[in-house]
């Protein structure tokens, strides 16, 4: 006799979402949440960004997969906004070359260009005005700092036009 295990509603949503993202490997999940009224909120990002059609496709995939469920639900699929803090290493890697506002635990706050990102941390560079070693006045110095992800409280891309 085969063992049949019934998935919970949330497990089914997570499974379907995983399958939807397997179909488009450029996309990745930033956040998945469920409200008490079964509103499913999905936030996506992508290596090349997320467009409206990507959101529509994932929404339809989930809606079709959940058709016939005994639970009433609604689905909202959105892209991570420009002001959304970076959460995943993959997001840091896709934003190399962009200027970020970074709040750290040990270094304070800084605005710098993201120059590298690996699995341990991100490297930032910026220009700073510092007093001259000899004489009066200041000199512009190029700074570089690698910060581990565990030391980053929040990092947000700075939008420049």
């Amino acid at each position: 006799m085969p063992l049949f295990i019934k998935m919970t509603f949330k497990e089914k949503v997570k499974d379907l979402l995983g399958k939807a993202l397997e179909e488009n490997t450029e996309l990745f999940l930033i956040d998945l949440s469920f409200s008490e009224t079964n509103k499913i909120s999905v936030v996506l990002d992508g290596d090349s960004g997320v467009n409206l059609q990507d959101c529509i496709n994932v929404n339809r995939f989930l809606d079709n997969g959940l058709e016939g469920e005994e639970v009433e639900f609604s689905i909202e699929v959105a892209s991570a906004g420009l002001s959304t803090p970076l959460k995943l290493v993959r997001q840091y890697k896709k934003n190399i070359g962009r200027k970020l506002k970074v709040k750290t635990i040990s270094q304070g706050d800084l605005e710098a260009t993201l120059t590298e990102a690996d699995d341990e941390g991100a490297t930032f560079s910026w220009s700073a005005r510092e007093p001259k070693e000899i004489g009066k006045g200041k000199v512009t110095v190029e700074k570089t700092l690698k910060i581990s992800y565990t030391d980053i409280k929040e990092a947000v891309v700075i939008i420049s036009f």
Side-chain angles (χ1 to χ4, degrees):
M1 183 169 130
L3 181 62
F4 179 73
I5 300 173
K6 184 170 168 68
M7 283 186 174
T8 67
F9 180 72
K10 288 180 182 180
E11 289 170 339
K12 188 166 186 178
V13 171
K14 289 175 186 176
D15 183 58
L16 285 167
L17 186 55
K19 289 176 182 169
L21 295 177
E22 283 174 13
E23 288 187 6
N24 187 343
T25 57
E26 286 274 309
L27 299 177
F28 51 95
L29 181 65
I30 299 299
D31 192 37
L32 170 63
S33 61
F34 300 85
S35 74
E36 290 180 18
T37 58
N38 286 325
K39 178 181 178 187
I40 305 162
S41 296
V42 178
V43 180
L44 302 174
D45 202 348
D47 296 323
S48 303
V50 179
N51 62 41
L52 180 60
Q53 192 59 51
D54 293 328
C55 294
I56 291 169
N57 292 344
V58 171
N59 190 311
R60 283 185 182 151
F61 190 93
L62 291 173
D63 196 41
N64 291 338
L66 295 170
E67 202 171 286
E69 283 292 311
E70 297 170 10
V71 177
E72 280 197 38
F73 62 90
S74 63
I75 304 171
E76 177 183 273
V77 179
S79 63
L82 290 174
S83 61
T84 304
L86 305 183
K87 291 183 176 182
L88 305 174
V89 173
R90 194 166 172 180
Q91 289 179 292
Y92 283 90
K93 289 180 179 179
K94 86 169 211 163
N95 283 295
I96 289 174
R98 297 182 91 176
K99 193 169 184 179
L100 273 62
K101 184 173 186 173
V102 183
K103 294 180 182 180
T104 69
I105 296 167
S106 65
Q107 304 289 327
D109 297 354
L110 65 110
E111 287 188 13
T113 301
L114 176 61
T115 56
E116 292 179 40
D118 59 29
D119 292 339
E120 284 79 46
T123 303
F124 299 91
S125 64
W126 68 97
S127 298
R129 298 284 292 160
E130 294 186 349
K132 289 182 179 178
E133 285 187 32
I134 301 172
K136 295 182 180 181
K138 292 188 175 188
V139 63
T140 301
V141 179
E142 293 300 316
K143 300 266 195 175
T144 300
L145 179 65
K146 181 164 184 172
I147 305 172
S148 76
Y149 296 120
T150 57
D151 193 30
I152 298 174
K153 285 196 272 187
E154 181 179 89
V156 178
V157 175
I158 296 173
I159 310 307
S160 57
F161 297 96

